[in-house]
Amino acid sequence: RMKEGEHIPTPDISHITCDPRFKDQVYDPSEDTFLFLDALELQKDFLKQLNPSLCLEIGCGSGCVITFLASILGSSSYYMATDINNVAANAALETARRNKISLDVINTDLLKHLIPRINKKVDVLLFNPPYVPTSEEEYLDSIKVEGNDMLSAAWAGGIDGRQVLDRLLPFIKEVISDNGCFYLVVVEENKPKEIARILLKDGFTGQIVKKRTARNETLSILRFDRKKASSG
C-alpha cells in the first residue's frame, strides 16, 4: 500500500514502443493520458474514500490509466477494461502484468457484452474517448475493423469529436452505481457544457478536475457524480 503523501509512479509502458507486437498499433500515451493520471492523483483521497468494488476503463489503449488507478487503490477493487482494438487489449494486459496489477480486458466496442450485467455496479468509470474532430467519413473509416489501421480509432472522433462519446452517454445512468462516478477526457471542441447538460438530465452533476492547454488543444478531465437527493 502507498504511504501518505507518496508520489505515485507512472506505470511502466515501455513495451508500447519497444515490443514489435504493439509498436505503432496501440495509442502511445500522450498529454491527454498524463493529464488523466495527474487528475486521478489529485483525486486519490476521494477515490480511496469511495472504496470502489468495480473500476472500469472504456477504450483503455495501453492500459496505462486503469493500471495507474489500480496502483492508487490497491487490490481491494476489481479492475476491468475494454478496447475495440485487439492489439490494445493485449497491450493493456501486458501493462497490468508488468506493473503487478490484476486486470480483466475485454476486446469489445464500448460496453457491448457487459450490459446489463454491470448495470448500477460500476463505482469508477474512466473514458478517454477519441475526441479529435474529424469528418464523419474519417470517423467511419476508423471503426472498420477489417481495415489494418486500428490506430485511428483511438483518436478520430467524427463531428465535434463526439461521435463515439455520444454513443456511450445514454448508458452512463444505467451502469454507474449509486455512489459511483464517471471520469471523462474532453477538449473544448467537444462542447463540454453540452455534455454536462445531457448528463444533468440523466441525474449527474459535473465538475472540472484538471485542465491543461497543450499543443493548441485545451484538455479537461471532468468528473460526473449522481445528484444526491437533498435531505429535508
Side-chain angles (χ1 to χ4, degrees), residues 86-156:
N86 189 39
V87 181
N90 284 312
L93 281 175
E94 178 63 16
T95 299
R97 189 189 67 76
R98 280 174 172 244
N99 293 279
K100 300 180 173 52
I101 297 297
S102 176
L103 175 68
D104 278 343
V105 186
I106 296 138
N107 177 207
T108 190
D109 175 38
L110 299 178
L111 296 174
K112 206 173 173 186
H113 310 306
L114 293 178
I115 289 172
R117 259 187 315 159
I118 60 166
N119 282 9
K120 288 283 171 78
K121 291 195 175 78
V122 182
D123 300 307
V124 179
L125 184 66
L126 308 170
F127 192 27
N128 180 0
Y131 57 69
V132 178
T134 64
S135 66
E136 176 144 35
E137 191 180 15
E138 196 169 359
Y139 159 69
L140 291 172
D141 279 350
S142 78
I143 55 174
K144 281 186 190 149
V145 179
E146 67 271 16
N148 285 330
D149 179 25
M150 282 301 285
L151 200 51
S152 59
W155 56 263

Side-chain angles (χ1 to χ4, degrees), residues 36-70:
F36 211 163
L37 302 191
D38 290 347
L40 292 174
E41 184 154 23
L42 273 181
Q43 294 271 291
K44 67 174 187 256
D45 293 339
F46 163 78
L47 288 162
K48 285 176 177 175
Q49 214 170 345
L50 187 63
N51 194 19
S53 299
L54 173 59
C55 301
L56 169 61
E57 182 176 13
I58 298 169
C60 62
S62 65
C64 180
V65 177
I66 189 82
T67 297
F68 186 79
L69 179 68

